[in-house]
Amino acid sequence: MEKIIISTKNAPAAIGPYSQGVRIGDMVYTSGQLPINIKSGEMPAGIEAQTKQSLENIKSILEEAGSCMNNVIKTLVFLKDMNDFVKMNEVYSSFFTGNFPARSAVQVAKLPKDALIEIEVIATV
């Protein structure tokens, strides 16, 4: 199967040697998305706004790949502070309807650019 690199101007450019996403067959894998607003280049304040921005970035990558949030089958959420879990969940749940994807959520020591959250997903097309 051919590996297709996904790149969109509607999500932040990679800040290292990686792609925003990769599509292989009917599967899409996104890189972890920081909550960077593409218009300002900045991250919003607070876990709720950062969760929303990370998921909006993922949504843009999936759409570029011919997929959507309803096709997400697995997410991985990296949190700077597990005490933000409940607030993250409130925003996260607004992006998915009905059958939620499988998910892991872990606290990490530090994220790039001192973000509060980073999210990656696996989806079908």
Side-chain angles (χ1 to χ4, degrees):
M1 285 187 219
E2 179 184 2
K3 178 170 89 171
I4 300 167
I5 302 302
I6 307 303
S7 180
T8 177
K9 293 182 192 269
N10 296 323
I15 58 173
Y18 60 88
S19 301
Q20 290 173 322
V22 176
R23 178 176 169 179
I24 298 178
D26 289 338
M27 300 300 296
V28 179
Y29 303 84
T30 71
S31 292
Q33 291 302 299
L34 294 174
I36 297 171
N37 180 299
I38 59 165
K39 292 179 181 156
S40 69
E42 302 294 322
M43 288 186 282
I47 190 63
E48 295 98 331
Q50 286 199 15
T51 301
K52 182 178 187 295
Q53 186 63 61
S54 289
L55 289 166
E56 290 289 350
N57 294 343
I58 287 168
K59 182 179 174 188
S60 294
I61 294 167
L62 291 176
E63 288 172 354
E64 184 70 22
S67 187
C68 64
M69 296 299 278
N70 286 339
N71 291 354
V72 173
I73 57 175
K74 170 77 168 134
T75 64
L76 178 53
V77 179
F78 302 95
L79 292 165
K80 184 175 180 181
D81 185 347
M82 194 56 77
N83 290 317
D84 288 334
F85 186 81
V86 171
K87 290 180 181 177
M88 174 276 295
N89 258 343
E90 290 172 4
V91 177
Y92 177 96
S93 66
S94 71
F95 278 79
F96 300 100
T97 57
N99 298 320
F100 294 109
R103 182 180 78 186
S104 298
V106 296
Q107 178 174 310
V108 295
K110 189 167 177 135
L111 289 165
K113 298 186 176 273
D114 289 323
L116 300 177
I117 191 166
E118 181 174 355
I119 303 172
E120 67 179 57
V121 306
I122 300 170
T124 59
V125 178

